[in-house]
Amino acid sequence: MAAAQSLGAPEVAVLGGGFGGLYTALRLCELDWPGCAAPRVTLVDRNECFSFSPMLYELATGDVSAWEVAPRYADILSGTDIQFVQGDVRSLDAEGRLVGVAPTGGGTEQLLPYDCCVLALGGEPVVGSVPGSLEHALRF
């Protein structure tokens, strides 16, 4: 935490670029921070693009373009001070306030310092609680 405080701005790591993470990061940049420096926000996601799943049907039927359903984070975040890191979260050191991120394309794990960390990593669909769903369901 001392490193971020010496720069005058707290570091906020937002882990996960789905609706929760993306909109949290964007909102943090919109807020007024009277009496203190605005936080430096880093958004981490394994994908290059945000995926708007409710419109996948429209994409599949050709009613919309891919950029409307899956815009690149670089495009969404342009004009903001949010830093985007593409990679998989591998570790979270709460005591040392470090997030370990492995680049998606391979390479050396990066350690991101934080003062505040937002966990918005999403979830996995539960398939199998309904008899026959594993054998017969077509998953998107």
Side-chain angles (χ1 to χ4, degrees):
M1 178 159 36
Q5 286 181 344
S6 68
L7 296 174
E11 298 277 351
V12 177
V14 180
L15 310 181
F19 280 103
L22 178 60
Y23 282 92
T24 297
L26 291 169
R27 183 68 177 131
L28 286 172
C29 289
E30 291 175 350
L31 294 174
D32 289 327
W33 298 90
C36 63
R40 294 179 2 171
V41 179
T42 302
L43 177 66
V44 179
D45 196 85
R46 69 171 49 135
N47 300 305
E48 178 184 12
C49 300
F50 172 79
S51 178
F52 187 61
S53 301
M55 289 187 69
L56 287 176
Y57 175 79
E58 286 85 352
L59 179 63
T61 59
D63 291 339
V64 297
S65 300
W67 67 267
E68 294 174 281
V69 178
R72 295 177 57 239
Y73 285 108
D75 296 333
I76 296 170
L77 301 175
S78 68
T80 72
D81 292 329
I82 300 169
Q83 178 186 1
F84 175 67
V85 174
Q86 185 179 354
D88 288 308
V89 174
R90 295 288 185 213
S91 62
L92 180 66
D93 177 1
E95 187 175 318
R97 294 181 183 238
L98 293 169
V99 176
V101 180
T104 302
T108 306
E109 184 173 293
Q110 178 181 3
L111 293 177
L112 302 173
Y114 69 86
D115 294 304
C116 297
C117 185
V118 176
L119 299 177
L121 296 169
E124 293 292 323
V126 177
V127 181
S129 59
V130 175
S133 62
L134 284 174
E135 299 82 15
H136 304 290
L138 299 175
R139 295 171 54 182
F140 235 167

